[in-house]
Amino acid sequence: MSPPAPSAKPAVLERITERRANSPKCARCGLVNFRTEATCKRCGASLDEATNDTTHAATASAAMLPEHAPGSKAAFLFRRAAAVCGVTALLLFACYVSLIFSSAPLNAEQRRVVDRAIDVLDQRGFARDALILRRLVNYRASDNWWNRYVGHADAYAATNFPFEVVTLYPEFFNKSADDVERAAILLHEAQHLRGRGEEDAFTTVWRAKRQLGWTHDSHGNTRVWRNVSEFTEKHAPKLFRCGPDGDTDCYE
């Protein structure tokens, strides 16, 4: 027995479907016309115009998809920038917290000593530095993990910028002669709190020593004076190139 002949029905349906797909549909009355027709058989509307309108509408719809919407690129960049800023802020905050929790705070007496030194700065014309030192700084009495890692040599204080953390070592309290010398040390650290380097910090303090009342005549024999004088000449030698011999302090 021979197998039945394949049915022609699927092929017919395929041709019908293809014709319908290629046949223009009137945008006015909805009638599907033959593709050879230029106008609708029912209402007489132009099929070319209807086709163009349909194509234009489809193009406009596609243009309004999220990837083509006006300003989508700017919005994407803004979201990326916001995400980067958020992650950066979170990392900075985590680092700040780690600096605080890995060090000890000042005790009440040490805090009073610091406040008196800041008052000296305020009274002698350094109000902006005094404001920074009084309002923005978290003072610590021992090294945090970062200071322990980088180390320090013969320091009275250390500043962690931009975290505004200032560590005051025992020498700040027991090796300085008075509140004026401690004010000079804090003025130095205030420059670091502004993001300035050692040269700027030593230069600022050395130029301001008369205004502070911290001079060779009044404090020339103290340990702090000798240390600061030595490091200032090292970091800012131009301040000691005055006088006939070119080897004199320019601010004495």
Side-chain angles (χ1 to χ4, degrees), residues 55-66 68:
T55 304
H56 177 73
T59 304
S61 298
M64 292 307 295
L65 291 174
H68 298 292

Side-chain angles (χ1 to χ4, degrees), residues 58-189:
T59 304
S61 298
M64 292 307 295
L65 291 174
E67 60 268 24
H68 298 292
S72 61
K73 184 175 182 180
F76 171 76
L77 293 176
F78 175 79
R79 289 194 297 270
R80 290 295 297 271
V84 170
C85 290
V87 171
T88 302
L90 183 62
L91 291 175
L92 289 174
F93 178 74
C95 189
Y96 172 79
V97 171
S98 71
L99 295 177
I100 299 304
F101 278 92
S102 61
S103 58
L106 301 182
N107 60 40
E109 177 57 31
Q110 289 172 329
R111 183 68 229 196
R112 283 192 288 270
V113 171
V114 171
D115 288 340
R116 291 201 307 268
I118 295 174
D119 288 341
V120 170
L121 290 173
D122 206 0
Q123 294 162 6
R124 301 191 181 182
F126 302 93
R128 184 173 298 180
D129 297 286
L131 179 64
I132 293 172
L133 291 164
R134 183 175 285 120
R135 301 295 184 189
L136 302 182
V137 178
N138 194 321
Y139 292 98
R140 314 306 290 172
S142 66
D143 272 329
N144 52 56
W145 65 268
W146 179 248
N147 288 347
R148 289 194 294 270
Y149 177 76
V150 299
H152 57 85
D154 301 324
Y156 294 97
T159 295
N160 300 115
F161 177 82
F163 302 102
E164 311 303 82
V165 174
V166 174
T167 303
L168 299 175
Y169 299 112
E171 290 80 4
F172 174 85
F173 299 99
N174 55 41
K175 298 299 182 182
S176 52
D178 52 26
D179 290 337
V180 173
E181 283 203 328
R182 287 185 280 272
I185 295 170
L186 290 181
L187 182 60
H188 179 102
E189 299 307 316

Side-chain angles (χ1 to χ4, degrees), residues 219-237:
H219 294 80
N221 294 322
T222 68
R223 172 178 170 173
V224 173
W225 176 274
R226 291 194 299 270
N227 291 155
V228 173
S229 176
E230 176 186 348
F231 282 107
T232 302
E233 189 165 7
K234 174 183 176 182
H235 289 282

